[in-house]
């Protein structure tokens, strides 16, 4: 989103990974709470395996946020890229982002 | 590639993950050889950790092939998607493929 | 940690992924701050690619926390598992955790 | 396996990711065939998205082989590590392998 892409504030997208701004913010607030929960688990010396399960859950939730953001961006690039004369730049940026997500950082 | 995307047979792309058909075929033949090597290691009861190292190397090589293929496809979609009137379908297909690559299957 | 594994409070482990409780807590607080930063980026309609870069950074940081936790647990299991008569249970739990981390959730 | 771990040749393990040598060899031969199939798809200029789907399937199959190998190794390390006086070395090797599998190479 940004740079001309309007992210719908509260629409109800139904295709694949698409997510509204509201949905992304809700998910991110939940993720923030999950990370705080993991901090407390470490503080309380909780069982390692249980903490790892929570970390895996946060990773899955972050993947979902990333796919939701990427979906809107891909739709914008495919629909408008050529017209805006930025097809090459957009493709290079997009692939770099996908590469980072696949390698996780 | 396919469906109107010409994959350069032996050009020398220099941007990001772009790969020619020749490069992809060379990498895939090497990966096939690496998998046969892993089969021999299991047959010969080689040390588990050494086999796992080879498996990680094959996964990294497959990621590179996937990113090379995806790069050409993304460039085609961004450059031609709107014109061909298939922006929506292309975006949905693309995101499904990225989701599978991130989750590995 | 937990169940008999003492996680050093502020020692200075030097091998591989080992992390002290202090190090894990510091990293998790930083991750919590990064997630809040991502929430603000979405709120402010920042450029999608920049938000994705931050998500990849959080994923990498969470992987590092997970490997730090797992390292202490593996050392405990290998050193004490047989003696405590829980080798089989420990191995099954450990592998389930590794499988979730590899598949991310 | 290797170094004193007997990998059962054709037993029928039932726990978690455990795999016999026969099962691992069968899976690796199938993976080799899948990679050859991907080579043909590239040769025939098949649709990019379909090739990516096959790559994701090979990645998932390799993950399964890796988890099967790791499972046997972890069980050996937890059961015998302390007795053999190699708990520390085994743990370090194991964590390095898990780190490579999580980062894919």
């Amino acid at each position: 989103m940004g740079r001309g892409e309007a992210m719908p504030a509260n629409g109800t997208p139904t295709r694949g990974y698409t997510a509204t701004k509201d949905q992304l913010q809700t998910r991110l607030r939940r993720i923030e709470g999950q990370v705080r929960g993991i901090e407390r688990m470490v503080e309380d010396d909780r069982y390692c395996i249980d903490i790892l399960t929570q970390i895996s859950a946060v990773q899955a939730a972050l993947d979902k946020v990333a796919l939701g953001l990427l979906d809107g961006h891909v739709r914008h690039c495919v629909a408008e890229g050529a017209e805006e004369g930025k097809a090459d730049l957009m493709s290079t940026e997009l692939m770099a982002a996908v590469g980072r997500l696949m390698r996780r950082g």
Side-chain angles (χ1 to χ4, degrees), chain A:
Chain A
M1 68 216 156
R3 297 197 195 167
E5 284 159 77
M7 184 159 49
N10 50 18
T12 47
T14 53
R15 303 157 308 180
Y17 295 113
T18 309
T20 62
K21 186 171 174 173
D22 277 1
Q23 287 171 326
L24 291 170
Q25 289 181 306
T26 301
R27 288 183 203 159
L28 283 164
R29 271 192 298 269
R30 193 179 309 137
I31 289 167
E32 190 195 333
Q34 287 174 297
V35 172
R36 262 198 303 272
I38 294 170
E39 289 176 54
R40 276 192 301 272
M41 291 177 87
V42 169
E43 174 62 34
D44 297 346
D45 293 321
R46 292 278 296 279
Y47 188 46
C48 173
I49 297 291
D50 296 335
I51 306 179
L52 291 174
T53 300
Q54 291 306 306
I55 291 178
S56 293
V58 171
Q59 300 268 33
L62 282 169
D63 276 349
K64 208 177 158 194
V65 169
L67 285 166
L69 281 164
L70 196 61
D71 184 281
H73 188 66
V74 161
R75 288 178 193 285
H76 172 73
C77 289
V78 173
E80 315 286 344
E83 194 179 313
E84 296 181 10
K86 297 190 293 191
D88 213 55
L89 170 64
M90 276 180 169
S91 301
T92 300
E93 278 185 348
L94 197 52
M95 286 306 303
V98 170
R100 281 190 296 268
L101 289 171
M102 279 173 58
R103 275 190 318 270
R104 306 201 237 188

